[in-house]
Amino acid sequence: MLVTFRSTATESITMFEDVAVQLLKLMGATGRIPGALGPDDVVLALRQLEHATEQIKAGTHVTPARPADNEDSKNEDEDDEDREPPVDLATRAVPLLSILKRAAAAKAEVMWEAKGK
């Protein structure tokens, strides 16, 4: 399933549910979908997600991201050299951080909802 994040301050983004739930929890939300943050809550969520991504980059935060649903598991015949490394959670957080920053600056809300089942 996909989750779409939107705000009146910016364009919307869509990501896989498993990644979205991890990011929601890192920013202090429950991880439930649908959900929303009011304008006053966006700044705190932004700070928490920034802090968590800094820890992930520094290697001090333990949140292994499992492969996305569209990424095949490794076949025995596949060489490690040919396989792209998985995208880490800190990198996957960049679009959500952008929405949170712009929403905080505009004092706008951020909402998320499931798309497709």
Side-chain angles (χ1 to χ4, degrees):
M1 181 166 41
L2 299 174
V3 176
T4 299
F5 291 86
R6 64 182 82 240
S7 173
T8 56
T10 184
E11 72 283 347
S12 63
I13 61 164
T14 302
M15 60 180 62
F16 289 108
E17 178 184 21
D18 59 333
V19 174
V21 169
Q22 289 179 53
L23 294 175
L24 286 167
K25 289 180 179 180
L26 288 176
M27 64 187 219
T30 63
R32 289 189 208 135
I33 301 167
L37 294 172
D40 296 334
D41 299 322
V42 171
V43 174
L44 178 60
L46 171 60
R47 278 193 228 136
Q48 287 184 268
L49 187 56
E50 284 176 329
H51 180 70
T53 56
E54 288 169 12
Q55 287 182 319
I56 291 168
K57 289 176 185 175
T60 59
H61 195 278
V62 181
T63 54
R66 65 182 190 85
D69 292 338
N70 69 337
E71 294 177 6
D72 297 327
S73 59
K74 183 176 178 175
N75 294 330
E76 294 296 323
D77 299 334
E78 189 176 5
D79 291 333
D80 285 338
E81 296 171 6
D82 296 338
R83 185 169 177 93
E84 291 288 325
V87 178
D88 70 7
L89 195 55
T91 302
R92 292 181 188 261
V94 170
L96 182 55
L97 284 166
S98 177
I99 282 183
L100 290 171
K101 286 176 186 174
R102 288 189 261 164
K107 296 184 184 345
E109 72 294 329
V110 174
M111 301 160 283
W112 54 91
E113 63 186 356
K115 291 291 181 187
K117 285 193 175 188

